[in-house]
Amino acid sequence: MSEQRATDALEALGLPHEITRHGRVGSLAEAAAARGVEPRDIVKTLVVRRGEGDFLFVLVPGDREISWPKLRALLGVNRLSMPDKDVANEVTGYERGTITPFGATTAWPVVADASLAGDPERRISMGAGAHGVAATVPAEETLARLDARIADVTELQQS
């Protein structure tokens, strides 16, 4: 079960975490309320293709979206794409909407938006391998344990 794989990975990292099961939600605000965090503390794990067989995870706060020009500049590439749901599942072991770097079948590099870093008290909530299941974790410790590259790679979502 993919949820078990994610929680096993959290345990193996020694990362303090709280698992929340809330079922499907219809909005960012609904997810944040169910998890007891602010919308900006819901973190989406997006799989990005850099090249053939070369992927990475990008951690994006709930109220932000990837800035493709910033991410391309950071990675020094001209082209990036998001794989379709079947490829994303194949390269991570998780269905879209449940993807997390915790327990992914391949430990792809992690890029985390700079807005996630810098507050030692901040807790963030990330997918935990199954729909409606999340792990709330300390932001700074999580970024460190994932060896995340911290960079400004997002912009506020357009309403």
Side-chain angles (χ1 to χ4, degrees):
M1 172 182 226
S2 47
E3 175 187 345
Q4 188 63 52
R5 199 168 67 244
T7 54
D8 287 349
L10 287 161
E11 297 282 338
L13 286 172
L15 196 58
H17 60 280
E18 176 185 326
I19 299 295
T20 306
R21 289 176 182 79
H22 54 68
R24 298 217 185 220
V25 291
S27 69
L28 175 63
E30 202 176 304
R35 298 178 190 186
V37 298
E38 295 298 316
R40 72 182 196 98
D41 296 325
I42 299 276
V43 176
K44 302 171 278 197
T45 301
L46 303 179
V47 181
V48 174
R49 182 194 326 254
R50 201 170 12 190
E52 185 63 36
D54 184 15
F55 299 86
L56 61 131
F57 293 116
V58 181
L59 304 183
V60 178
D63 61 347
R64 302 183 73 84
E65 59 192 15
I66 289 178
S67 166
W68 293 103
K70 289 179 184 179
L71 187 58
R72 284 192 303 270
L74 175 75
L75 299 173
V77 297
N78 293 324
R79 188 167 191 274
L80 293 168
S81 63
M82 303 250 321
D84 70 27
K85 66 181 179 69
D86 293 332
V87 172
N89 189 324
E90 180 183 318
V91 302
T92 67
Y94 293 118
E95 285 181 45
R96 190 174 280 162
T98 72
I99 294 172
T100 178
F102 304 117
T105 52
T106 301
W108 300 110
V110 176
V111 172
D113 187 62
S115 67
L116 293 169
D119 178 355
E121 301 301 313
R122 186 173 183 187
R123 293 172 46 81
I124 56 175
S125 184
M126 300 174 65
H131 290 286
V133 181
T136 301
V137 293
E140 290 290 311
E141 191 173 346
T142 299
L143 300 178
R145 298 285 172 92
L146 292 173
D147 196 23
R149 183 173 180 184
I150 311 297
D152 176 15
V153 293
T154 68
E155 56 197 11
L156 284 172
Q157 277 187 325
Q158 304 301 313
S159 311

